Amino acid sequence: VRDISLRSKPLNSDGCDPDSCTDVLIERCRFDVSDDCVAVKSGRDRDGWRVGWPSSRIVVRDCEMRTDIAAAFAIGSEMSGGAHDIWVERLSVPSAEHALYFKANLDRGGVIERIRMRDIDVETTETLIHFTTDYHSYRGGNAPPTYRDFTVERVTCVRADQALHIVGVETAPVQDVRLSDITVDHVTQADAIAHVRGLRLDRVSVAGRPVSVPQGGIA
């Protein structure tokens, strides 16, 4: 998907959604939408488990992403088949509700792993980096997702309500996340970090102050 300019403003108007796809390149595109600009998916709940075809080997680069109420780049929320080996680089994000959004719920299962992201410039967003496990969950919460092995580096953001929202659950903590060379100039809310194992922060600065992992780790 190359050199596409897409403007779509109705509700739920995603830009490009690779679903259970392998070997995908999205580059030099401009998105101006009212939902996710790019969302990687792999099926929903039992149907996603039945097919069991993860999205993998996906590259998204050199894109401009503007959205009214959702994410610039997302994985999920329909991701029951899993997603792995995804590279995202050189994004310009004038505005987004969430710049980088990893979303699932406790009924959906799925494994998201080996994600690499770098060189992302954000002007304004509600949340810069957002992991969630409670996206529209309805049926008992017995199939939590697995998030592991994420690297996000060289990110700048002018203004965010919240820089980091990395929240797993006790039975399925977010694992092995490395954030480096990230700068957020202005924020209005404190970070939310809970149920994370193996979080590493290198040269992360929010509102002029360095952010570090609390001594003793995160419960």
Side-chain angles (χ1 to χ4, degrees):
V1 182
R2 177 179 290 136
D3 296 322
I4 300 296
S5 292
L6 189 150
R7 185 175 190 272
S8 182
K9 290 302 185 178
L11 187 65
N12 201 27
S13 58
D14 284 13
C16 183
D17 291 355
D19 194 326
S20 295
C21 294
T22 301
D23 297 330
V24 177
L25 173 62
I26 301 170
E27 67 175 352
R28 300 197 306 267
C29 294
R30 299 179 56 147
F31 299 97
D32 185 2
V33 297
S34 288
D35 212 291
D36 299 328
C37 294
V38 173
V40 176
K41 302 176 182 288
S42 61
R44 178 173 177 170
D45 302 338
R46 292 190 180 276
D47 189 53
W49 303 337
R50 176 184 60 82
V51 175
W53 193 329
S55 283
S56 65
R57 299 200 299 269
I58 294 173
V59 175
V60 181
R61 65 190 184 195
D62 300 308
C63 292
E64 180 180 297
M65 297 180 167
R66 184 190 303 268
T67 173
D68 296 331
I69 58 171
F73 176 84
I75 301 177
S77 66
E78 301 89 348
M79 40 58 70
S80 297
H84 61 85
D85 297 292
I86 296 173
W87 294 267
V88 178
E89 62 182 353
R90 298 190 300 273
L91 301 186
S92 173
V93 183
S95 62
E97 182 176 9
H98 309 294
L100 306 174
Y101 194 14
F102 313 110
K103 50 182 173 173
N105 64 40
L106 300 182
D107 300 316
R108 198 145 286 175
V111 177
I112 301 176
E113 62 183 347
R114 298 195 298 276
I115 312 300
R116 303 291 182 262
M117 317 182 80
R118 65 185 182 186
D119 299 320
I120 297 167
D121 295 322
V122 181
E123 292 184 25
T124 180
T125 183
E126 290 188 16
T127 310
L128 180 62
I129 299 172
H130 193 126
F131 290 77
T132 186
T133 58
D134 63 355
Y135 188 88
H136 301 318
S137 184
Y138 303 107
R139 294 180 304 280
N142 296 314
T146 297
Y147 295 121
R148 64 188 177 209
D149 193 2
F150 283 70
T151 298
V152 183
E153 57 187 346
R154 301 199 298 268
V155 178
T156 63
C157 178
V158 176
R159 186 176 302 276
D161 288 350
Q162 186 178 57
L164 305 178
H165 183 105
I166 308 175
V167 179
V169 293
E170 187 174 0
T171 56
V174 178
Q175 305 174 50
D176 301 324
V177 175
R178 179 177 181 266
L179 309 179
S180 65
D181 298 299
I182 294 174
T183 302
V184 185
D185 293 338
H186 304 281
V187 296
T188 59
Q189 300 176 21
D191 295 332
I193 301 175
H195 302 301
V196 183
R197 181 186 303 153
L199 176 62
R200 179 177 172 182
L201 305 178
D202 297 319
R203 299 175 301 281
V204 176
S205 173
V206 174
R209 297 181 179 180
V211 179
S212 59
V213 178
Q215 187 175 5
I218 299 167

